[in-house]
Each structure stands twice: as structure tokens, then as C-alpha cells.
Amino acid sequence: MVDIAIEVTDRKGRVSQFAGTEGLTLMDALRNQGLPVAATCGGAKSCATCHVYIGEGSAPVGLPDEDEVDLLSESDHYREGVSRLSCQIVLLPVLAGLHVELAPQD
Amino acid sequence: MTTGSTIVIVGAGLAGAEAAFALRDGGYEGRLVVVGRESWPPYERPPLSKAFLQGELARDRLWLRPAKSYADGNIELQLGTEVTAIDRVQRCVHLNTGAALGYYKLLLATGGEARRLTIPGAELVGVCELKSLDDAELLRAKLVEGRQVVIIGGGYVGMEFAATACQAGCQVTVLESQDRVLSRSLSAVIARYLQSEHERRGVRVLTQSSVARIEGAEHVDAVVLSDGTRLPADVVLVSIGNEASDALARGGSLPVDRGIVVDREGRTTDPHVFAAGDCTVSRCEGFDATLRLESVQHATLQARRAAGAMLGQPAGRDEVPWFWSDQFDIKLQMAGLPLPGDTELVRGDPQSGRFSVIYQNADRLTAIQCVNASADFAAAKKMIAERRRFAVALLCDPLVSLRDVRSSRAVGEPIP
């Protein structure tokens, strides 16, 4: 298990850095940091309250599947190619240096 | 008894924890105590019948917040402690430790308890319920390949447990007293689909069955139905719903109607006492009786609202109630509350494994229940919030997305 360096911009534009534990989801890591991620369904891919934007030039987090796109694309704050549900991103060493921004709440 | 400005929260579940953090976020700086009966810090219950039971999720992944966040927020957790009574005159709660805690405001977030069976044999070893983390840990050890599992009650917990036990290689039978599973809240079209999907994967579902007794010497051996059928069982799960934990409120002479009666901001009739989550009932538009909504979304919303009301802050906007359930690879997502007499519209072909049931009446679209149709779910939540009708022909056309239905100018034609 290694720690993965993550940089996050909150909804007030404040930037912070922290280390997320490998194997956790990004949602868990953000919540453990005390960041305001509602994540109402706890990662069951049934809401879009853990919506984040992946920073440009950030590590490769992969593409959302169809269900995830269906939930995200109904958000008023959806940005194609940038929006992800943080519950669907598992922290792996390859993601070191990940930069994410918390999307506004619908 | 000094009450000072202390806020006491009874119940360290989702609603209790959510309210505590909402109070701090809302600017409350006084003493804040959360009393929990279980020894665990506040945790997520939904995975208990799914990922946790399957062993995919370790215990420490269930905590709602990391331990340090309570210390950081100056939130006192008194775990493994039971509140035995409320004294509304002295404004204090009595604890099973013999101590009393004074309060200025009190939040009851006591949740619910699994309803008990009252038939012979219900007390045998191996007859379980699934409500708490301890229950789930006990059951997890019993889900061994080849075991005979009998589930009494085909509600959400029963059906989720059936799927998990089946995936663990157990021989699973679900006993349901009604003519279909999930009859209380789910469209018959979806309930039948779900039943057939369970059956296709090897779960036996016996509807309209009545359980007479459970047999065994010390440990359960079998479940016997009223028609004499004897079902051998190594494990029995009783999942016949929950009852609101409202005994403290009743003892404190607060209005109770199968749950603590509250307004939309969690107020009881006592200005110093609030309640939130599964222990509450409240009025919902269009319904004569008070309703008890048992869901993560409702508990979260009500906890935040109650916290706001305690601090004298205005209530936020309304939220469309929503709920989900995962069974095998089937994702059920529900939003809104169907009203009695609503027209039920089926959108998409159930055979395709991706469809929705929409409820609409003369005034508005009230609810949707989706099977593997997240786009319908997400779009319909907004349509329900708009409180209007939509064209039936478009709603029933799966080739037109609900997003397009919502933005189209076609209005719902009047019901003949």
C-alpha cells in the first residue's frame, strides 16, 4: 500500500494537497479528508453527489461507463470528458499527482 | 441540572452523525454529545446486505467519517451507551450508566428495529435479523456454499440478502406472505421481473406463504409453513420490516404514530425536542396518513433540516425522495412517491432488462421506478420536481430520452 498524492480544489476555490491510501476510492479519500462530498449512496453508483472534475493534464483515471455517464450527464454541472463520479475511481499508484475539483452541488 | 447550551443527539446512526456535522457547519459552537447504543462509530448500513456481506468491503470502510473528524469537530461520541428515558421538564436524558445529560436542544435519531417474529421457534440459534453491523458479521460467517438459507419476508433487505446468499453458493428460499415480493412499495411489473430474475439464478420464491413455526432442538433445523411444507434450514433470516424506535418519545409523552411525529424540519410539539431519520413519521402531500420514509436520502435531508431548525436557520428547498437497491447485477433506482390512483406507465420492455415504471396523475408526474435505467432515474428526478404532467406517448417511448421529454413542449394530454 502506498500513499497517492492528490490535489483538490474545493467549491470555494481553496486548493489542498493530501495523501490518499491505495485501494480506496477517490470518494472515500475525499470524505476522509473532511471535504464536503455528500456521496449519499455511499458509492453504489445511484446518485451523482460525489461528482468531481478531473484536472487537465492529470493522471489517467479512465473513462466512465454507461451508467455513470447517464447519471453525470443529467447534472446541471456536467462537463463532458472532465466529469467523473469519485466513487468510481480507485486510487492506484499510477494516479499519483491527480488533481480534482469538487463540482458544484445540484 | 445545568443545561447550558448543550445539544444532545440520541442515536449514532446516519441521521445522528449527519445532524452533528450539520450543527457544526451551521455555526453551533456549544457542547455537542452523540449517544449511541452500539459500540461502533456511525456507519453506513446499505452495504450490510450487499458488499460487506459478500466480504468485498472491510469493516473500516463502513465508517461514515474518519474517527478524527469527531475530535476535530469537538463532537463527543458516547458509544455503547443507552438512553433510558427523557425528562422534558428537567430537560435531561437518563443514561444506562446511571448518569444524566442535560440538554438545551435534543435530537432523537434512534432509527428503527427489525420487526420480530412471534411464532414458535423464533428464538432458536440460527434465526437471524439483519439490521446492525453485528448482525451482518454474524450472518457473513454463515454464508457458506451449500448451506440452506430460508428468508422470511421478501422486502428489500430480504431480496438483497437472497441475492448475496445465492452468489455465495447457498440454497436460498424466500417466503413472502403477499402474492408478490416487494409489494409494499414497488410496481407489480418490476416486482415480477425481479422475482423471475432471482428464480433464474436459483433462488426459490414462495409467495402467499404463511410460516407456522421454526423447528430445531437448539439450533434451527427447518421452517414449517401452515400448509405443512417443511423447508430444511441452516440459517433463517427474518426480514419482515422495521419498526420505528419511538419508545423514548412515547415515554416522554411526545406524539407518536408508529414513529415520532415531526414536521418537515424535524420539530416535535416540544420546541426543545427534534427528531430525524427512520424513527420519524411526517405528513406528505397527497397522503391522508403520516408516512415513514426509510432511506439514506431522507435521513440525511431530515437531519440537516432539523439541525438548521435547531439553530433557527431557514429550511432549504424540498428534495424529491429517492432510494436504491442492488440485487445481483440489477440496479433498482426509485424517485418520488406514487399516489394512490396514479396511472402506471411502463417505459421500455421488461424483457430487455432495462425499463422503468412511471407514475402520473391528472396533475403531475409523481414517481419513477427504474431497472438498470440510470438516465431515466436522473432525468425523472427533475421532472418530478417540476410538478407537472408530461405527454404519455413520449414517456412510454424508450427511443425518446426523458431529458428530451422534459425539454419538449408537448404537454400531458388530459386523462379521458
Side-chain angles (χ1 to χ4, degrees):
Chain A
M1 296 272 233
V2 294
D3 284 344
I4 291 138
I6 301 169
E7 187 175 76
V8 56
T9 305
D10 73 12
R11 297 189 190 97
K12 290 178 178 151
R14 292 176 300 210
V15 180
S16 57
Q17 282 96 16
F18 69 98
T21 307
E22 180 183 355
L24 285 188
T25 65
L26 178 58
M27 171 197 80
D28 282 327
L30 293 170
R31 283 213 296 195
N32 286 351
Q33 266 325 97
L35 286 154
V37 176
T40 307
C41 80
K45 215 168 32 168
S46 273
C47 64
T49 57
C50 68
H51 183 182
V52 295
Y53 301 130
I54 305 298
E56 213 176 307
S58 203
V61 294
L63 294 172
D65 70 11
E66 195 183 345
D67 285 343
E68 188 182 335
V69 172
D70 284 345
L71 286 169
L72 282 168
S73 60
E74 284 299 331
S75 164
D76 297 333
H77 307 286
Y78 177 58
R79 290 196 214 148
E80 197 176 341
V82 179
S83 285
R84 286 298 311 267
L85 294 182
S86 58
C87 69
Q88 299 302 309
I89 296 172
V90 176
L91 296 180
L92 297 171
V94 67
L95 296 186
L98 182 66
H99 177 90
V100 297
E101 183 185 340
L102 304 187
Q105 287 170 303
D106 277 335
Chain B
M1 174 91 8
T2 52
T3 54
S5 71
T6 302
I7 294 181
V8 173
I9 298 176
V10 185
L14 173 65
E18 190 69 27
F21 285 96
L23 284 164
R24 287 294 185 229
D25 291 344
Y28 174 67
E29 289 174 351
R31 188 179 178 208
L32 181 47
V33 187
V34 180
V35 184
R37 186 170 57 181
E38 293 177 57
S39 54
W40 309 113
Y43 59 85
E44 301 210 42
R45 279 181 211 277
L48 295 183
S49 52
K50 302 177 280 266
F52 179 76
L53 206 54
Q54 283 164 351
E56 285 175 10
L57 210 56
R59 187 199 286 158
D60 63 5
R61 295 280 301 275
L62 295 176
W63 311 143
L64 282 165
R65 310 258 180 165
K68 75 176 181 65
S69 62
Y70 298 94
D72 291 350
N74 200 12
I75 297 167
E76 294 174 45
L77 284 181
Q78 292 198 13
L79 301 175
T81 306
E82 202 155 347
V83 171
T84 53
I86 307 172
D87 183 337
R88 295 202 287 129
V89 177
Q90 295 292 318
R91 267 199 239 142
C92 69
V93 294
H94 293 278
L95 308 178
N96 63 343
T97 57
L101 259 178
Y103 64 79
Y104 170 63
K105 301 275 184 198
L106 174 69
L107 177 73
L108 300 172
T110 44
E113 277 141 66
R115 193 169 285 134
R116 299 271 157 80
L117 263 187
T118 51
I119 56 169
E123 70 298 336
L124 288 169
V125 178
V127 180
C128 307
E129 57 188 46
L130 178 46
K131 180 68 185 155
S132 68
L133 176 48
D134 290 337
D135 295 336
E137 292 205 323
L138 187 76
L139 278 164
R140 183 154 79 163
K142 293 178 187 288
L143 292 186
V144 176
E145 194 170 344
R147 293 259 176 99
Q148 309 256 24
V149 174
V150 175
I151 298 164
I152 302 177
Y156 288 107
V157 170
M159 296 307 278
E160 289 178 0
F161 183 74
T164 305
C166 179
Q167 285 168 318
C170 300
Q171 307 283 316
V172 183
T173 304
V174 177
L175 304 176
E176 168 58 49
S177 62
Q178 303 294 309
D179 63 357
R180 60 183 164 90
V181 296
L182 295 159
S183 60
R184 191 163 65 103
S185 63
L186 202 60
S187 149
V189 179
I190 298 181
R192 281 193 210 102
Y193 169 82
L194 273 180
Q195 182 174 334
S196 68
E197 287 298 304
H198 274 259
E199 286 167 346
R200 195 164 68 78
R201 291 165 168 89
V203 175
R204 180 159 58 146
V205 181
L206 303 178
T207 54
Q208 289 179 299
S209 60
S210 153
V211 181
R213 63 184 184 278
I214 303 174
E215 289 182 350
E218 205 172 303
H219 192 280
V220 57
D221 286 330
V223 175
V224 182
L225 305 183
S226 338
D227 66 5
T229 310
R230 190 173 184 279
L231 303 160
D234 301 307
V235 184
V236 174
L237 177 75
V238 178
S239 50
I240 51 174
N242 294 321
E243 274 162 10
S245 301
D246 57 12
L248 282 176
R250 242 183 297 129
S253 302
L254 288 162
V256 164
D257 176 18
R258 286 165 300 140
I260 306 166
V261 181
V262 293
D263 72 4
R264 65 190 281 277
E265 286 160 86
R267 292 187 187 85
T268 67
T269 49
D270 180 334
H272 296 280
V273 183
F274 296 73
D278 286 4
C279 63
T280 67
V281 293
S282 49
R283 293 237 158 252
C284 293
E285 191 194 351
F287 294 87
D288 294 333
T290 54
L291 296 189
R292 190 157 65 89
L293 300 177
E294 294 173 90
S295 71
V296 168
Q297 177 265 342
H298 182 252
T300 307
L301 176 71
Q302 210 176 28
R304 286 196 202 129
R305 280 199 171 149
M310 282 176 159
L311 301 177
Q313 292 163 355
R317 343 169 257 171
D318 268 324
E319 229 178 68
V320 172
W322 59 269
F323 181 68
W324 81 96
S325 174
D326 291 315
Q327 297 168 30
F328 297 107
D329 53 354
I330 304 163
K331 181 166 282 300
L332 274 176
Q333 292 162 308
M334 285 75 75
L337 298 174
L339 287 173
D342 282 359
T343 305
E344 219 180 290
L345 306 166
V346 180
R347 172 181 164 80
D349 179 6
Q351 297 293 327
S352 71
R354 178 183 282 268
F355 66 102
S356 303
V357 173
I358 295 170
Y359 293 85
Q360 186 166 249
N361 58 40
D363 301 320
R364 60 191 178 97
L365 192 157
T366 57
I368 191 163
Q369 299 176 343
C370 307
V371 176
N372 299 320
S374 290
D376 282 2
F377 169 71
K381 262 202 266 185
K382 295 179 175 173
M383 297 164 84
I384 295 164
E386 287 182 4
R387 308 179 54 81
R388 64 181 179 97
R389 274 177 64 79
F390 297 86
V392 169
L394 293 178
L395 290 175
C396 295
D397 185 349
L399 298 177
V400 183
S401 76
L402 287 185
R403 187 194 325 208
D404 289 343
V405 177
R406 180 173 165 237
S407 56
S408 86
R409 298 199 175 272
V411 288
E413 56 283 340
I415 290 175

